[in-house]
């Protein structure tokens, strides 16, 4: 995989291999916090920060500590500890600098800890044997892709408040449907670049 | 060794992360000392940032009502924040009207102090003090009511109007809570506060009060409440209540009859059964001595077996309807009891010619 430039991976992670729309990771907070663009963007920013930082740190730990010492069987527990610490940090940060966002995100901010998109990004980086810069690009792109998806859906859901959605479809049901439609739309990017 | 290595690696990682987080906490959660300005420079305090406005105010000896003890569930701790309060939080919106939000009204227990802050509170709140007192008696009035006397230790005197209440501190597992209790001792008694408290099954404060014994130390803040009795002697006073609503009515009746013996004063009180009757003999005695005072008790449940009762029966609003006449005399009414009672009595009073602004009520 070393031949792919980090930039290609970045683009791929945002569009063709969108972690949410192609892999369907990180769905729970995606559905819960996609009612308003501002909060969705806030959560997205937190996810971008956490995925980027944790892929970088996890890369270092995996390749320079766990592999040389033959401790790769500790991968999951180590990755999860790193992610948890980062989310804790982000929570402090958001509480300090944006109390409104802090309360709007509520329980979903600490729940980034178990957002599968984030652990997913770290695990893909290992499975696909990325180099350091490829990993960072993938982590950042994965976060941006997730944010793009949640903000787009939030925009649609915000408008949908004024449209006449059939009663049985209101709420999460229609959000699932439009997510599916949007995933199909993103398939249009598929020919652009390929990673896997 | 094979076992030690993974433990060391993982342990080292956790230690590293913990150190990093602790440092981040130091830097991020430290807001330093902030200025708290109350009523445009009337009072100024230096308080530690990071705490809630409610606890900063308490620390500065400005006691605002806070029945739930800062959990954001009572909505009593409102203050107007002029600057430095940050955005209104979702935990506050259920308690605030849109007009209030526009005026900057906030729940003090939800506002976190992160910078210099300027607030406005009603002038009266600045007179509220914290009292340390000793229980001097705790009598049982009925199966679920006690009359609690608290002798003031520090400060030694309280200046309260009839209808006002104090907030008693009660210990609870997650820290002390405060609950409102109307003062039942007349305004002329200044060195003691008397309460009449009903036991709410499972209730934190009422259970605590029912268990108090002579000599126990208690803490309360007060006085609170904006009821003002009409002080003109030719205005009749009509007190109506039920259940634990007796406390402020007893205070009003004694204050009025002592200060203006020639002033007309009514007391209507609703009970369920003969077991719930209390203070009736005392009020009958007063009625004998003072022809301008009238007391009417009514029982809402049917009598059992051998019981005797020569007073009124049915819900209390029926007795009010029977005894008060329609007139345009100046009269002021004070209602205190459960919401359905208050609602029914309001209707009757309006039919009798009371103006809405002359009817004051406390629901509990
Ligand atoms: C201005 C004012 C004056 C008051 N004056 C008096 C007074 O003179 N005498 C008096 O006995 N009480 C009075 N109260 C009520 C008192 O403040 C408490 O609400 C009551 O004693 C219950 O508190 P607790 O801590 O025991 O119960 P909590 O621990 O708060 O509650 C226990 C359970 O009871 C319910 N509950 C809470 N409050 C009430 C209530 N009032 N009625 C029915 N259920 C309730 C709760 O929902 C909960 O399920 C007054 C209240 C106000 C606002
Ligand atoms: S103290 Fe009860 S809501 Fe603030």
């Amino acid at each position: 995989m070393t031949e792919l430039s980090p930039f290609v991976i970045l683009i791929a992670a945002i569009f063709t291999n969108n972690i949410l729309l192609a892999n369907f990771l990180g769905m729970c907070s995606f559905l819960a916090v996609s009612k308003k663009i501002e909060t969705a963007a806030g959560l997205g920013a937190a996810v971008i920060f956490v995925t980027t930082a944790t892929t970088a740190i996890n890369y270092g730990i995996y390749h320079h500590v766990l592999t040389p010492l033959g401790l790769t069987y500790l991968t999951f527990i180590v990755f999860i500890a790193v992610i948890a610490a980062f989310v804790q940090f982000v929570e402090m940060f958001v509480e300090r600098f944006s109390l409104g966002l802090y309360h709007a995100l509520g329980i979903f901010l600490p729940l980034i800890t178990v957002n599968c998109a984030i652990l997913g990004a770290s695990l893909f980086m290992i499975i696909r044997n990325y180099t350091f810069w490829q990993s960072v690009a993938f982590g950042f792109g994965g976060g941006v892709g997730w944010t793009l998806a949640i903000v787009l859906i939030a925009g649609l859901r915000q408008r949908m408040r004024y449209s006449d959605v059939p009663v049985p479809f209101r709420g999460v049901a229609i959000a699932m449907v439009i997510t599916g439609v949007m995933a199909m739309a993103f398939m249009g990017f598929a020919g652009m670049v390929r990673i896997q | 060794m094979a076992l030690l290595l993974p433990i060391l690696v993982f342990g080292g990682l956790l230690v590293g992360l913990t150190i990093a987080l602790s440092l981040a906490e130091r830097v991020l959660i430290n807001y330093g000392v902030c200025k708290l300005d109350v009523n445009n420079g009337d009072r100024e305090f230096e308080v530690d940032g990071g705490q809630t406005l409610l606890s900063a105010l308490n620390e500065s000896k400005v006691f605002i009502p806070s029945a739930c003890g800062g959990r954001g569930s009572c909505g009593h701790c409102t203050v107007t924040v002029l600057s430095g309060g940050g955005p209104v939080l979702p935990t506050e919106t259920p308690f605030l009207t849109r007009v209030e939000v526009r005026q900057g009204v906030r729940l003090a227990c939800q506002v976190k102090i992160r910078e210099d802050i300027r607030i406005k509170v009603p002038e009266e709140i600045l007179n509220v003090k914290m009292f340390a007192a000793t229980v001097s008696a705790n009598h049982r009035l009925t199966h679920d009511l006690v009359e609690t006397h608290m002798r003031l230790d520090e400060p030694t005197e309280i200046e309260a109007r009839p209808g006002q209440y104090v907030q008693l501190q009660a210990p609870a597992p997650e820290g002390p809570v405060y609950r409102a209790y109307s003062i039942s001792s007349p305004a002329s008694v200044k060195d003691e506060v008397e309460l009449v408290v009903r036991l709410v099954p499972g209730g934190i404060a009422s259970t605590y009060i029912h268990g108090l014994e002579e000599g126990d130390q208690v803490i309360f803040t007060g006085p609170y409440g904006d009821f003002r009795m009409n002080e003109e002697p030719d205005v009749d006073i009509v007190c109506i209540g039920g259940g634990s609503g007796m406390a402020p009515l007893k205070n009003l009746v004694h204050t009025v009859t002592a200060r203006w013996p020639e002033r007309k004063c009514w007391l209507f009180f609703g009970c369920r059964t003969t077991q719930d009757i209390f203070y009736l003999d005392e009020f009958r005695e007063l009625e004998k001595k003072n022809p301008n005072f009238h007391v009417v008790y009514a029982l809402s449940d049917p009598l059992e077996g051998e019981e005797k009762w020569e007073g009124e029966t049915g819900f209390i609003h029926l007795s009010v309807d029977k005894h008060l006449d329609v007139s345009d005399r100046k009269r002021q009414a004070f209602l205190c009891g459960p919401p359905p009672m208050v609602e029914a009595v309001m209707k009757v009073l309006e039919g009798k010619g009371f103006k809405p602004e002359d009817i004051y009520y406390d629901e509990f």
Side-chain angles (χ1 to χ4, degrees):
Chain A
M1 281 292 156
T2 35
E3 69 277 9
L4 281 178
S5 90
F7 180 70
V8 172
I9 292 191
L10 176 72
I11 298 299
I14 298 175
F15 296 108
T16 57
N17 291 60
N18 187 299
I19 203 153
L20 202 145
L21 296 173
N23 299 103
F24 280 89
L25 295 179
M27 280 299 284
C28 55
S29 39
F30 168 78
L31 286 174
V33 191
S34 57
K35 290 192 198 90
K36 256 179 83 188
I37 293 185
E38 289 89 64
T39 31
L43 188 66
V47 168
I48 293 177
F49 178 71
V50 175
T51 37
T52 315
T54 54
T55 39
I57 296 178
N58 286 342
Y59 180 92
I61 293 178
Y62 184 82
H63 288 287
H64 299 294
V65 181
L66 298 183
T67 317
L69 295 176
L71 295 176
T72 45
Y73 62 90
L74 289 181
T75 303
F76 295 170
I77 188 170
V78 166
F79 281 10
I80 289 171
V82 169
I83 291 171
F86 253 82
V87 173
Q88 190 92 65
F89 172 74
V90 169
E91 188 180 13
M92 285 185 216
F93 187 86
V94 174
E95 186 183 356
R96 168 89 208 223
F97 293 105
S98 176
L99 201 60
L101 180 62
Y102 179 76
H103 283 272
L105 293 179
I107 188 69
F108 292 99
L109 185 54
L111 278 182
I112 299 181
T113 317
V114 287
N115 186 324
C116 35
I118 293 168
L119 185 60
S122 286
L123 294 178
F124 278 133
M125 132 192 123
I126 289 169
I127 297 167
R128 297 178 186 167
N129 253 324
Y130 285 151
T131 64
F132 179 72
W133 287 112
Q134 283 177 327
S135 303
V136 173
F138 181 71
F140 180 70
V144 172
W146 194 88
T147 306
L148 181 68
I150 193 173
V151 168
L152 288 176
I153 294 281
L156 288 174
R157 288 184 80 179
Q158 215 166 311
R159 276 163 189 253
M160 234 156 32
R161 275 223 304 272
Y162 307 104
S163 44
D164 191 16
V165 179
V167 179
F169 280 103
R170 288 195 186 153
V172 176
I174 190 75
M176 294 276 218
V177 174
I178 57 175
T179 308
V181 174
M182 193 176 289
M184 283 200 279
F186 267 63
M187 283 177 71
F189 293 117
M192 232 165 53
V193 278
R194 259 201 108 67
I195 54 172
Q196 210 68 292
Chain B
M1 185 60 201
L3 215 59
L4 208 58
L5 187 66
I7 295 174
L8 280 181
V9 169
F10 190 63
L13 178 78
L14 288 187
V15 170
L17 291 174
T18 312
I19 293 174
L21 277 180
S22 306
L23 288 179
E25 209 245 20
R26 278 282 166 79
V27 177
L28 285 177
I29 309 297
N30 187 354
Y31 297 92
V33 173
C34 302
K35 270 207 201 75
L36 167 59
D37 172 305
V38 181
N39 290 2
N40 276 322
D42 190 359
R43 307 269 176 103
E44 278 180 28
F45 307 101
E46 307 244 299
V47 295
D48 287 330
Q51 60 180 328
T52 63
L53 178 56
L54 179 68
S55 64
L57 284 171
N58 270 341
E59 199 178 84
S60 311
K61 308 232 174 307
V62 175
F63 301 108
I64 59 173
S66 54
C68 67
R71 282 195 222 128
S73 60
C74 70
H76 289 186
C77 58
T78 50
V79 299
T80 306
V81 175
L82 302 174
S83 72
V88 177
L89 305 179
T91 41
E92 298 172 75
T93 38
F95 297 101
L96 304 175
T97 64
R98 244 189 263 171
V99 178
E100 284 175 327
V101 170
R102 230 174 294 136
Q103 291 165 339
V105 176
R106 304 286 305 270
L107 294 188
C109 67
Q110 302 300 308
V111 175
K112 220 171 173 194
I113 299 196
R114 299 137 60 85
E115 54 184 324
D116 293 353
I117 183 167
R118 290 169 48 238
I119 66 165
K120 215 173 87 195
V121 298
E123 206 50 50
E124 274 211 334
I125 289 285
L126 296 176
N127 298 328
V128 170
K129 297 194 185 83
M130 178 174 271
F131 293 87
T134 308
V135 176
S136 53
N138 205 8
H139 315 294
R140 188 150 288 279
L141 296 172
T142 67
H143 65 103
D144 66 350
L145 280 171
V146 290
E147 177 188 296
T148 309
H149 294 251
M150 304 178 293
R151 188 155 289 282
L152 305 185
D153 297 325
E154 180 59 46
T156 50
E157 288 204 344
I158 186 167
E159 200 60 58
R161 300 190 304 268
Q164 286 197 301
Y165 62 94
V166 296
Q167 288 205 152
L168 193 92
Q169 188 188 69
E174 304 123 74
V177 295
Y178 288 85
R179 293 284 187 270
Y181 294 99
S182 303
I183 302 173
S184 60
S185 38
S188 57
V189 176
K190 304 213 182 291
D191 57 349
E192 188 185 271
V193 166
E194 180 197 291
L195 310 177
V196 174
V197 177
R198 190 172 68 91
L199 183 67
V200 173
I204 299 169
S206 56
T207 311
Y208 165 72
I209 295 170
H210 275 242
L212 286 173
E213 284 175 13
E214 201 181 319
D216 285 347
Q217 306 283 318
V218 288
I219 287 178
F220 58 84
T221 59
Y224 300 95
D226 51 12
F227 173 70
R228 281 179 189 278
M229 179 176 59
N230 193 314
E231 304 244 320
E232 281 163 40
D234 57 337
V235 175
D236 299 356
I237 295 288
V238 180
C239 304
I240 307 161
S244 56
M246 173 55 87
L249 308 182
K250 179 186 179 199
N251 179 346
L252 264 167
V253 165
H254 285 303
T255 303
V256 169
T257 52
R259 218 171 128 190
W260 300 278
E262 67 297 335
R263 192 169 176 179
K264 251 202 165 32
C265 178
W266 287 89
L267 171 64
F268 293 92
F269 198 70
C271 300
R272 286 226 182 104
T273 67
T274 50
Q275 263 106 60
D276 297 321
I277 296 174
F278 60 104
Y279 290 157
L280 181 56
D281 296 338
E282 187 186 324
F283 286 126
R284 289 238 169 98
E285 207 54 40
L286 186 65
E287 196 174 29
K288 266 192 219 133
K289 274 191 272 171
N290 183 335
N292 291 312
F293 171 66
H294 304 286
V295 57
V296 178
Y297 272 47
L299 296 185
S300 59
D301 285 3
L303 292 178
E304 304 218 349
E306 308 285 280
E307 284 178 342
K308 281 215 189 69
W309 173 248
E310 61 276 15
E312 294 293 338
T313 52
F315 287 119
I316 195 65
H317 65 278
L318 301 174
S319 309
V320 176
D321 192 31
K322 180 167 157 195
H323 289 269
L324 290 185
D325 42 8
V326 180
S327 118
D328 54 6
R329 272 179 74 79
K330 279 222 44 117
R331 295 179 288 192
Q332 190 183 28
F334 188 96
L335 278 51
C336 195
M341 183 214 93
V342 169
E343 201 180 317
V345 172
M346 292 273 259
K347 273 212 195 94
V348 172
L349 289 181
E350 278 171 25
K352 296 285 179 190
F354 280 76
K355 293 194 203 68
E357 66 267 24
D358 292 329
I359 307 174
Y360 187 92
Y361 63 89
D362 259 342
E363 291 180 343
F364 54 81

